[in-house]
Amino acid sequence: MRKIFMITILFILALASCSTIRYKSKKFDGLIVLDSSYYNKPKPIEIISKDSATGYTIVRSLSQDSVLQSIESFDNEKDRNFIGESKYYHSNGKLKKVEYYQNKNLYSSVKTYYQNGQLKRDDIFNDRVFVSGTCFDSLGNEAFHTDYQVNPSVDIESLQNCLVYPENMLTLNREEIVSFRILLTKEGKIAIIKYQKDNSAEFIEAALNCALKLSAKTFKYFKPSIIDDEPEDSWIEIPVRFSLR
């Protein structure tokens, strides 16, 4: 199984500038498992109820040994858009963080806590745009404020420079966008890759080869998401453009 290390290209390609490029469906039906422990990772036990006052769906998640992990509030059970207050817990049972969503999937306040119960962060947002906040050390002293959430990043220039256009596709004058969905672990490694089988095999192979070259340098070209100063596992979609222009 090939090793691959890629994360997101966070920009949208304008349709007018790439009208000759073949677009494929968003059906990620191909699968490559690089770390089976993530693929076979037990899902939490869910206890689902409805809040009688708000009508929100409340989902309590427990580990396989019945340790409470979170109490999340959604607008409905099917779509699961965050709304209202959601709580998350440390493995020792103490509160880890509280996120409040005034609008669907857009938090307006976040409080986080150390394992000893000390407040770590108290931030206010306007639809996820930071307004004000304070960070503290584990002893309760005010500390340097950091961003609550840092999105994954990629060295786009290195990624594009690494790509090698398949020779037969040059002959056919073929252009395409290849999309992947990957699970990037908090250790900065790729655990699972999902790709679109209806992409041209040659372009898929070229993108994978490029990723293989960049994957050896952990955290140099690709960096995982950071939540409250801690790296987090995350799914990321990557569109890779093969263009003759």
Side-chain angles (χ1 to χ4, degrees):
M1 194 70 69
R2 294 179 181 275
K3 283 192 174 180
I4 174 174
F5 200 90
M6 297 178 64
I7 66 174
T8 190
I9 300 176
L10 294 175
F11 62 90
I12 301 175
L13 300 171
L15 293 177
S17 67
C18 52
S19 57
T20 63
I21 293 179
R22 185 166 57 141
Y23 285 85
K24 311 306 286 182
S25 71
K26 286 294 184 179
K27 183 180 179 181
F28 294 96
D29 48 4
L31 177 67
I32 299 174
V33 178
L34 301 177
D35 189 335
S36 59
S37 66
Y38 278 85
Y39 185 67
N40 299 316
K41 189 175 181 179
K43 293 183 179 180
I45 301 168
E46 291 188 344
I47 301 174
I48 302 174
S49 61
K50 181 165 284 191
D51 186 289
S52 58
T54 63
Y56 298 156
T57 295
I58 307 301
V59 178
R60 289 172 170 81
S61 297
L62 294 83
S63 65
Q64 293 298 312
D65 52 355
S66 299
V67 175
L68 181 63
Q69 296 177 330
S70 63
I71 303 175
E72 296 174 311
S73 177
F74 302 102
D75 61 343
N76 63 76
E77 184 176 349
K78 180 181 178 181
D79 299 326
R80 292 201 177 187
N81 296 303
F82 284 102
I83 191 72
E85 185 179 80
S86 289
K87 297 180 179 181
Y88 302 85
Y89 297 86
H90 289 289
S91 58
N92 65 0
K94 290 192 175 183
L95 188 62
K96 181 178 183 178
K97 68 177 178 180
V98 180
E99 295 179 340
Y100 183 78
Y101 295 79
Q102 188 170 358
N103 297 315
K104 292 180 181 179
N105 292 328
L106 297 170
Y107 49 71
S108 58
S109 68
V110 173
K111 288 186 178 182
T112 66
Y113 301 85
Y114 292 98
Q115 287 197 12
N116 65 3
Q118 169 61 47
L119 181 65
K120 182 179 181 182
R121 170 189 303 274
D122 187 358
D123 284 358
I124 302 296
F125 299 85
N126 181 9
D127 289 348
R128 290 204 179 195
V129 177
F130 178 72
V131 176
S132 63
T134 308
C135 290
F136 304 90
D137 63 22
S138 60
L139 299 177
N141 301 308
E142 187 170 338
F144 178 77
H145 188 273
T146 57
D147 292 335
Y148 172 62
Q149 181 171 341
V150 179
N151 292 325
S153 63
V154 58
D155 185 338
I156 297 177
E157 183 177 358
S158 294
L159 175 62
Q160 291 299 139
N161 289 340
C162 175
L163 293 174
V164 177
Y165 217 100
E167 186 174 345
N168 62 326
M169 292 302 184
L170 283 172
T171 304
L172 294 172
N173 199 33
R174 181 73 60 80
E175 298 180 315
E176 198 164 301
I177 291 178
V178 178
S179 292
F180 295 93
R181 275 180 56 81
I182 65 172
L183 177 60
L184 180 68
T185 72
K186 60 185 178 183
E187 290 81 19
K189 298 180 180 179
I190 296 294
I192 300 172
I193 308 162
K194 294 183 179 181
Y195 61 93
Q196 299 168 261
K197 286 184 177 179
D198 61 351
N199 274 120
S200 301
E202 293 86 348
F203 284 130
I204 293 174
E205 182 75 9
L208 290 174
N209 285 338
C210 174
L212 179 62
K213 292 178 182 179
L214 299 182
S215 64
K217 305 253 181 166
T218 305
F219 296 115
K220 179 175 181 180
Y221 296 108
F222 308 103
K223 298 177 181 179
S225 60
I226 304 293
I227 305 294
D228 197 25
D229 301 324
E230 297 179 5
E232 295 281 345
D233 303 338
S234 56
W235 281 98
I236 307 150
E237 184 174 328
I238 311 162
V240 181
R241 179 182 181 182
F242 289 88
S243 174
L244 295 172
R245 287 184 282 175

